PDB file of all heavy atoms in Angstrom:
ATOM      1  N   TYR A   1       3.071  -6.181  17.599  1.00  0.00           N
ATOM      2  CA  TYR A   1       2.015  -6.568  16.655  1.00  0.00           C
ATOM      3  C   TYR A   1       1.345  -5.341  16.047  1.00  0.00           C
ATOM      4  O   TYR A   1       1.206  -5.247  14.839  1.00  0.00           O
ATOM      5  CB  TYR A   1       0.964  -7.450  17.337  1.00  0.00           C
ATOM      6  CG  TYR A   1      -0.159  -7.820  16.400  1.00  0.00           C
ATOM      7  CD1 TYR A   1       0.021  -8.799  15.435  1.00  0.00           C
ATOM      8  CD2 TYR A   1      -1.384  -7.160  16.438  1.00  0.00           C
ATOM      9  CE1 TYR A   1      -0.986  -9.128  14.547  1.00  0.00           C
ATOM     10  CE2 TYR A   1      -2.396  -7.479  15.556  1.00  0.00           C
ATOM     11  CZ  TYR A   1      -2.189  -8.466  14.616  1.00  0.00           C
ATOM     12  OH  TYR A   1      -3.191  -8.776  13.720  1.00  0.00           O
ATOM     13  N   TRP A   2       0.923  -4.381  16.838  1.00  0.00           N
ATOM     14  CA  TRP A   2       0.140  -3.266  16.308  1.00  0.00           C
ATOM     15  C   TRP A   2       0.990  -2.274  15.520  1.00  0.00           C
ATOM     16  O   TRP A   2       0.494  -1.651  14.577  1.00  0.00           O
ATOM     17  CB  TRP A   2      -0.665  -2.589  17.417  1.00  0.00           C
ATOM     18  CG  TRP A   2      -1.769  -3.499  17.865  1.00  0.00           C
ATOM     19  CD1 TRP A   2      -1.845  -4.174  19.042  1.00  0.00           C
ATOM     20  CD2 TRP A   2      -2.913  -3.898  17.101  1.00  0.00           C
ATOM     21  NE1 TRP A   2      -2.978  -4.956  19.062  1.00  0.00           N
ATOM     22  CE2 TRP A   2      -3.655  -4.806  17.891  1.00  0.00           C
ATOM     23  CE3 TRP A   2      -3.386  -3.581  15.835  1.00  0.00           C
ATOM     24  CZ2 TRP A   2      -4.832  -5.382  17.446  1.00  0.00           C
ATOM     25  CZ3 TRP A   2      -4.563  -4.163  15.388  1.00  0.00           C
ATOM     26  CH2 TRP A   2      -5.276  -5.053  16.195  1.00  0.00           C
ATOM     27  N   TRP A   3       2.279  -2.119  15.870  1.00  0.00           N
ATOM     28  CA  TRP A   3       3.154  -1.306  15.023  1.00  0.00           C
ATOM     29  C   TRP A   3       3.316  -1.981  13.666  1.00  0.00           C
ATOM     30  O   TRP A   3       3.380  -1.303  12.631  1.00  0.00           O
ATOM     31  CB  TRP A   3       4.516  -1.079  15.675  1.00  0.00           C
ATOM     32  CG  TRP A   3       4.546   0.026  16.683  1.00  0.00           C
ATOM     33  CD1 TRP A   3       4.859  -0.089  18.002  1.00  0.00           C
ATOM     34  CD2 TRP A   3       4.275   1.413  16.468  1.00  0.00           C
ATOM     35  NE1 TRP A   3       4.781   1.135  18.617  1.00  0.00           N
ATOM     36  CE2 TRP A   3       4.437   2.083  17.688  1.00  0.00           C
ATOM     37  CE3 TRP A   3       3.909   2.155  15.346  1.00  0.00           C
ATOM     38  CZ2 TRP A   3       4.243   3.450  17.822  1.00  0.00           C
ATOM     39  CZ3 TRP A   3       3.729   3.515  15.479  1.00  0.00           C
ATOM     40  CH2 TRP A   3       3.889   4.151  16.701  1.00  0.00           C
ATOM     41  N   TRP A   4       3.422  -3.307  13.639  1.00  0.00           N
ATOM     42  CA  TRP A   4       3.523  -4.036  12.381  1.00  0.00           C
ATOM     43  C   TRP A   4       2.261  -3.833  11.546  1.00  0.00           C
ATOM     44  O   TRP A   4       2.327  -3.617  10.336  1.00  0.00           O
ATOM     45  CB  TRP A   4       3.771  -5.519  12.633  1.00  0.00           C
ATOM     46  CG  TRP A   4       3.654  -6.342  11.399  1.00  0.00           C
ATOM     47  CD1 TRP A   4       2.612  -7.142  11.034  1.00  0.00           C
ATOM     48  CD2 TRP A   4       4.596  -6.427  10.326  1.00  0.00           C
ATOM     49  NE1 TRP A   4       2.855  -7.709   9.816  1.00  0.00           N
ATOM     50  CE2 TRP A   4       4.065  -7.294   9.363  1.00  0.00           C
ATOM     51  CE3 TRP A   4       5.837  -5.841  10.098  1.00  0.00           C
ATOM     52  CZ2 TRP A   4       4.734  -7.596   8.181  1.00  0.00           C
ATOM     53  CZ3 TRP A   4       6.507  -6.145   8.931  1.00  0.00           C
ATOM     54  CH2 TRP A   4       5.956  -7.010   7.988  1.00  0.00           C
ATOM     55  N   VAL A   5       1.106  -3.919  12.192  1.00  0.00           N
ATOM     56  CA  VAL A   5      -0.157  -3.725  11.475  1.00  0.00           C
ATOM     57  C   VAL A   5      -0.213  -2.324  10.871  1.00  0.00           C
ATOM     58  O   VAL A   5      -0.598  -2.156   9.699  1.00  0.00           O
ATOM     59  CB  VAL A   5      -1.366  -3.972  12.415  1.00  0.00           C
ATOM     60  CG1 VAL A   5      -2.669  -3.521  11.779  1.00  0.00           C
ATOM     61  CG2 VAL A   5      -1.444  -5.442  12.794  1.00  0.00           C
ATOM     62  N   LEU A   6       0.181  -1.304  11.621  1.00  0.00           N
ATOM     63  CA  LEU A   6       0.182   0.067  11.110  1.00  0.00           C
ATOM     64  C   LEU A   6       1.163   0.218   9.945  1.00  0.00           C
ATOM     65  O   LEU A   6       0.823   0.825   8.921  1.00  0.00           O
ATOM     66  CB  LEU A   6       0.527   1.056  12.225  1.00  0.00           C
ATOM     67  CG  LEU A   6       0.589   2.523  11.805  1.00  0.00           C
ATOM     68  CD1 LEU A   6      -0.771   3.001  11.292  1.00  0.00           C
ATOM     69  CD2 LEU A   6       1.064   3.383  12.968  1.00  0.00           C
ATOM     70  N   ALA A   7       2.365  -0.348  10.076  1.00  0.00           N
ATOM     71  CA  ALA A   7       3.359  -0.271   9.000  1.00  0.00           C
ATOM     72  C   ALA A   7       2.846  -0.964   7.744  1.00  0.00           C
ATOM     73  O   ALA A   7       3.016  -0.455   6.628  1.00  0.00           O
ATOM     74  CB  ALA A   7       4.679  -0.887   9.453  1.00  0.00           C
ATOM     75  N   SER A   8       2.206  -2.114   7.910  1.00  0.00           N
ATOM     76  CA  SER A   8       1.648  -2.835   6.759  1.00  0.00           C
ATOM     77  C   SER A   8       0.542  -2.025   6.096  1.00  0.00           C
ATOM     78  O   SER A   8       0.464  -1.949   4.866  1.00  0.00           O
ATOM     79  CB  SER A   8       1.089  -4.193   7.190  1.00  0.00           C
ATOM     80  OG  SER A   8       2.106  -5.018   7.678  1.00  0.00           O
ATOM     81  N   PHE A   9      -0.314  -1.405   6.906  1.00  0.00           N
ATOM     82  CA  PHE A   9      -1.397  -0.592   6.371  1.00  0.00           C
ATOM     83  C   PHE A   9      -0.848   0.571   5.546  1.00  0.00           C
ATOM     84  O   PHE A   9      -1.319   0.838   4.438  1.00  0.00           O
ATOM     85  CB  PHE A   9      -2.280  -0.068   7.516  1.00  0.00           C
ATOM     86  CG  PHE A   9      -3.371   0.839   7.058  1.00  0.00           C
ATOM     87  CD1 PHE A   9      -4.518   0.318   6.483  1.00  0.00           C
ATOM     88  CD2 PHE A   9      -3.260   2.213   7.191  1.00  0.00           C
ATOM     89  CE1 PHE A   9      -5.535   1.157   6.038  1.00  0.00           C
ATOM     90  CE2 PHE A   9      -4.257   3.059   6.762  1.00  0.00           C
ATOM     91  CZ  PHE A   9      -5.397   2.522   6.177  1.00  0.00           C
ATOM     92  N   ILE A  10       0.169   1.249   6.086  1.00  0.00           N
ATOM     93  CA  ILE A  10       0.780   2.375   5.368  1.00  0.00           C
ATOM     94  C   ILE A  10       1.422   1.891   4.076  1.00  0.00           C
ATOM     95  O   ILE A  10       1.280   2.524   3.018  1.00  0.00           O
ATOM     96  CB  ILE A  10       1.795   3.101   6.268  1.00  0.00           C
ATOM     97  CG1 ILE A  10       1.062   3.810   7.415  1.00  0.00           C
ATOM     98  CG2 ILE A  10       2.631   4.094   5.469  1.00  0.00           C
ATOM     99  CD1 ILE A  10       1.973   4.339   8.503  1.00  0.00           C
ATOM    100  N   LEU A  11       2.135   0.759   4.133  1.00  0.00           N
ATOM    101  CA  LEU A  11       2.763   0.205   2.937  1.00  0.00           C
ATOM    102  C   LEU A  11       1.725  -0.083   1.857  1.00  0.00           C
ATOM    103  O   LEU A  11       1.899   0.305   0.700  1.00  0.00           O
ATOM    104  CB  LEU A  11       3.525  -1.078   3.277  1.00  0.00           C
ATOM    105  CG  LEU A  11       4.089  -1.831   2.071  1.00  0.00           C
ATOM    106  CD1 LEU A  11       5.245  -1.068   1.443  1.00  0.00           C
ATOM    107  CD2 LEU A  11       4.511  -3.234   2.468  1.00  0.00           C
ATOM    108  N   PHE A  12       0.626  -0.744   2.229  1.00  0.00           N
ATOM    109  CA  PHE A  12      -0.386  -1.089   1.228  1.00  0.00           C
ATOM    110  C   PHE A  12      -1.135   0.132   0.721  1.00  0.00           C
ATOM    111  O   PHE A  12      -1.578   0.158  -0.431  1.00  0.00           O
ATOM    112  CB  PHE A  12      -1.345  -2.154   1.767  1.00  0.00           C
ATOM    113  CG  PHE A  12      -0.703  -3.510   1.832  1.00  0.00           C
ATOM    114  CD1 PHE A  12      -0.460  -4.127   3.034  1.00  0.00           C
ATOM    115  CD2 PHE A  12      -0.305  -4.154   0.673  1.00  0.00           C
ATOM    116  CE1 PHE A  12       0.152  -5.360   3.096  1.00  0.00           C
ATOM    117  CE2 PHE A  12       0.308  -5.398   0.709  1.00  0.00           C
ATOM    118  CZ  PHE A  12       0.531  -5.997   1.929  1.00  0.00           C
ATOM    119  N   LEU A  13      -1.275   1.158   1.545  1.00  0.00           N
ATOM    120  CA  LEU A  13      -1.880   2.402   1.098  1.00  0.00           C
ATOM    121  C   LEU A  13      -1.004   3.058   0.028  1.00  0.00           C
ATOM    122  O   LEU A  13      -1.499   3.456  -1.034  1.00  0.00           O
ATOM    123  CB  LEU A  13      -2.080   3.348   2.284  1.00  0.00           C
ATOM    124  CG  LEU A  13      -2.784   4.661   1.997  1.00  0.00           C
ATOM    125  CD1 LEU A  13      -4.233   4.417   1.627  1.00  0.00           C
ATOM    126  CD2 LEU A  13      -2.697   5.566   3.215  1.00  0.00           C
ATOM    127  N   VAL A  14       0.295   3.132   0.291  1.00  0.00           N
ATOM    128  CA  VAL A  14       1.230   3.730  -0.666  1.00  0.00           C
ATOM    129  C   VAL A  14       1.285   2.903  -1.952  1.00  0.00           C
ATOM    130  O   VAL A  14       1.244   3.452  -3.065  1.00  0.00           O
ATOM    131  CB  VAL A  14       2.639   3.868  -0.035  1.00  0.00           C
ATOM    132  CG1 VAL A  14       3.680   4.225  -1.076  1.00  0.00           C
ATOM    133  CG2 VAL A  14       2.610   4.907   1.080  1.00  0.00           C
ATOM    134  N   LEU A  15       1.367   1.577  -1.815  1.00  0.00           N
ATOM    135  CA  LEU A  15       1.409   0.727  -3.005  1.00  0.00           C
ATOM    136  C   LEU A  15       0.117   0.816  -3.814  1.00  0.00           C
ATOM    137  O   LEU A  15       0.151   0.785  -5.048  1.00  0.00           O
ATOM    138  CB  LEU A  15       1.683  -0.727  -2.620  1.00  0.00           C
ATOM    139  CG  LEU A  15       3.082  -1.031  -2.106  1.00  0.00           C
ATOM    140  CD1 LEU A  15       3.192  -2.495  -1.699  1.00  0.00           C
ATOM    141  CD2 LEU A  15       4.134  -0.673  -3.136  1.00  0.00           C
ATOM    142  N   GLY A  16      -1.016   0.949  -3.138  1.00  0.00           N
ATOM    143  CA  GLY A  16      -2.285   1.124  -3.844  1.00  0.00           C
ATOM    144  C   GLY A  16      -2.320   2.417  -4.635  1.00  0.00           C
ATOM    145  O   GLY A  16      -2.827   2.465  -5.760  1.00  0.00           O
ATOM    146  N   LEU A  17      -1.770   3.474  -4.049  1.00  0.00           N
ATOM    147  CA  LEU A  17      -1.700   4.752  -4.767  1.00  0.00           C
ATOM    148  C   LEU A  17      -0.775   4.659  -5.983  1.00  0.00           C
ATOM    149  O   LEU A  17      -1.096   5.169  -7.059  1.00  0.00           O
ATOM    150  CB  LEU A  17      -1.238   5.862  -3.825  1.00  0.00           C
ATOM    151  CG  LEU A  17      -2.225   6.278  -2.740  1.00  0.00           C
ATOM    152  CD1 LEU A  17      -1.577   7.248  -1.762  1.00  0.00           C
ATOM    153  CD2 LEU A  17      -3.474   6.879  -3.354  1.00  0.00           C
ATOM    154  N   ILE A  18       0.370   4.011  -5.800  1.00  0.00           N
ATOM    155  CA  ILE A  18       1.300   3.850  -6.925  1.00  0.00           C
ATOM    156  C   ILE A  18       0.680   2.985  -8.012  1.00  0.00           C
ATOM    157  O   ILE A  18       0.758   3.317  -9.201  1.00  0.00           O
ATOM    158  CB  ILE A  18       2.647   3.263  -6.438  1.00  0.00           C
ATOM    159  CG1 ILE A  18       3.366   4.268  -5.546  1.00  0.00           C
ATOM    160  CG2 ILE A  18       3.522   2.860  -7.621  1.00  0.00           C
ATOM    161  CD1 ILE A  18       4.570   3.700  -4.828  1.00  0.00           C
ATOM    162  N   ASP A  19       0.054   1.882  -7.604  1.00  0.00           N
ATOM    163  CA  ASP A  19      -0.604   1.018  -8.587  1.00  0.00           C
ATOM    164  C   ASP A  19      -1.691   1.764  -9.344  1.00  0.00           C
ATOM    165  O   ASP A  19      -1.815   1.635 -10.565  1.00  0.00           O
ATOM    166  CB  ASP A  19      -1.223  -0.211  -7.897  1.00  0.00           C
ATOM    167  CG  ASP A  19      -0.222  -1.324  -7.649  1.00  0.00           C
ATOM    168  OD1 ASP A  19       0.807  -1.369  -8.348  1.00  0.00           O
ATOM    169  OD2 ASP A  19      -0.480  -2.158  -6.760  1.00  0.00           O
ATOM    170  N   GLY A  20      -2.499   2.538  -8.612  1.00  0.00           N
ATOM    171  CA  GLY A  20      -3.605   3.242  -9.252  1.00  0.00           C
ATOM    172  C   GLY A  20      -3.171   4.395 -10.125  1.00  0.00           C
ATOM    173  O   GLY A  20      -3.719   4.613 -11.208  1.00  0.00           O
ATOM    174  N   ALA A  21      -2.174   5.148  -9.666  1.00  0.00           N
ATOM    175  CA  ALA A  21      -1.778   6.357 -10.390  1.00  0.00           C
ATOM    176  C   ALA A  21      -0.768   6.094 -11.500  1.00  0.00           C
ATOM    177  O   ALA A  21      -0.804   6.757 -12.540  1.00  0.00           O
ATOM    178  CB  ALA A  21      -1.201   7.376  -9.410  1.00  0.00           C
ATOM    179  N   LEU A  22       0.134   5.152 -11.302  1.00  0.00           N
ATOM    180  CA  LEU A  22       1.208   4.941 -12.272  1.00  0.00           C
ATOM    181  C   LEU A  22       1.106   3.637 -13.056  1.00  0.00           C
ATOM    182  O   LEU A  22       1.236   3.631 -14.270  1.00  0.00           O
ATOM    183  CB  LEU A  22       2.568   5.001 -11.557  1.00  0.00           C
ATOM    184  CG  LEU A  22       2.903   6.301 -10.844  1.00  0.00           C
ATOM    185  CD1 LEU A  22       4.214   6.170 -10.089  1.00  0.00           C
ATOM    186  CD2 LEU A  22       2.961   7.442 -11.831  1.00  0.00           C
ATOM    187  N   VAL A  23       0.902   2.538 -12.347  1.00  0.00           N
ATOM    188  CA  VAL A  23       0.938   1.228 -13.000  1.00  0.00           C
ATOM    189  C   VAL A  23      -0.300   0.994 -13.861  1.00  0.00           C
ATOM    190  O   VAL A  23      -0.191   0.512 -14.984  1.00  0.00           O
ATOM    191  CB  VAL A  23       1.116   0.100 -11.964  1.00  0.00           C
ATOM    192  CG1 VAL A  23       1.083  -1.257 -12.622  1.00  0.00           C
ATOM    193  CG2 VAL A  23       2.422   0.286 -11.192  1.00  0.00           C
ATOM    194  N   ALA A  24      -1.469   1.340 -13.351  1.00  0.00           N
ATOM    195  CA  ALA A  24      -2.702   1.119 -14.114  1.00  0.00           C
ATOM    196  C   ALA A  24      -2.681   1.828 -15.470  1.00  0.00           C
ATOM    197  O   ALA A  24      -2.981   1.203 -16.494  1.00  0.00           O
ATOM    198  CB  ALA A  24      -3.917   1.535 -13.291  1.00  0.00           C
ATOM    199  N   PRO A  25      -2.320   3.119 -15.546  1.00  0.00           N
ATOM    200  CA  PRO A  25      -2.257   3.766 -16.861  1.00  0.00           C
ATOM    201  C   PRO A  25      -1.216   3.139 -17.789  1.00  0.00           C
ATOM    202  O   PRO A  25      -1.421   3.092 -19.011  1.00  0.00           O
ATOM    203  CB  PRO A  25      -1.891   5.216 -16.529  1.00  0.00           C
ATOM    204  CG  PRO A  25      -2.382   5.432 -15.155  1.00  0.00           C
ATOM    205  CD  PRO A  25      -2.178   4.109 -14.474  1.00  0.00           C
ATOM    206  N   MET A  26      -0.107   2.651 -17.224  1.00  0.00           N
ATOM    207  CA  MET A  26       0.903   1.990 -18.061  1.00  0.00           C
ATOM    208  C   MET A  26       0.389   0.672 -18.637  1.00  0.00           C
ATOM    209  O   MET A  26       0.864   0.223 -19.670  1.00  0.00           O
ATOM    210  CB  MET A  26       2.178   1.722 -17.252  1.00  0.00           C
ATOM    211  CG  MET A  26       2.945   2.988 -16.934  1.00  0.00           C
ATOM    212  SD  MET A  26       4.553   2.794 -16.126  1.00  0.00           S
ATOM    213  CE  MET A  26       4.575   1.212 -15.416  1.00  0.00           C
ATOM    214  N   MET A  27      -0.590   0.076 -17.960  1.00  0.00           N
ATOM    215  CA  MET A  27      -1.149  -1.198 -18.421  1.00  0.00           C
ATOM    216  C   MET A  27      -2.404  -1.005 -19.272  1.00  0.00           C
ATOM    217  O   MET A  27      -3.072  -1.969 -19.622  1.00  0.00           O
ATOM    218  CB  MET A  27      -1.489  -2.085 -17.217  1.00  0.00           C
ATOM    219  CG  MET A  27      -0.303  -2.363 -16.309  1.00  0.00           C
ATOM    220  SD  MET A  27       0.932  -3.341 -17.114  1.00  0.00           S
ATOM    221  CE  MET A  27       0.490  -4.937 -16.552  1.00  0.00           C
ATOM    222  N   GLY A  28      -2.756   0.244 -19.586  1.00  0.00           N
ATOM    223  CA  GLY A  28      -3.884   0.517 -20.468  1.00  0.00           C
ATOM    224  C   GLY A  28      -5.199   0.752 -19.761  1.00  0.00           C
ATOM    225  O   GLY A  28      -6.247   0.774 -20.398  1.00  0.00           O
ATOM    226  N   PHE A  29      -5.190   0.930 -18.465  1.00  0.00           N
ATOM    227  CA  PHE A  29      -6.407   1.208 -17.702  1.00  0.00           C
ATOM    228  C   PHE A  29      -6.464   2.687 -17.357  1.00  0.00           C
ATOM    229  O   PHE A  29      -5.468   3.388 -17.427  1.00  0.00           O
ATOM    230  CB  PHE A  29      -6.429   0.393 -16.398  1.00  0.00           C
ATOM    231  CG  PHE A  29      -6.522  -1.085 -16.595  1.00  0.00           C
ATOM    232  CD1 PHE A  29      -5.372  -1.871 -16.611  1.00  0.00           C
ATOM    233  CD2 PHE A  29      -7.747  -1.702 -16.757  1.00  0.00           C
ATOM    234  CE1 PHE A  29      -5.447  -3.238 -16.779  1.00  0.00           C
ATOM    235  CE2 PHE A  29      -7.831  -3.076 -16.929  1.00  0.00           C
ATOM    236  CZ  PHE A  29      -6.683  -3.840 -16.944  1.00  0.00           C
TER     237      PHE A  29
END
């Protein structure tokens, strides 16, 4: 359970960075 929670946290951290740095500017933000 806790390894899954850590993996999910890391995944969402990376996806948040990608969304904020790359996807948001492509969408006009």
Side-chain angles (χ1 to χ4, degrees):
Y1 178 77
W2 290 108
W3 278 119
W4 170 257
V5 169
L6 179 62
S8 296
F9 177 78
I10 292 169
L11 173 70
F12 286 113
L13 184 67
V14 169
L15 290 177
L17 290 172
I18 293 170
D19 277 337
L22 300 175
V23 177
M26 289 186 340
M27 303 294 264
F29 294 95

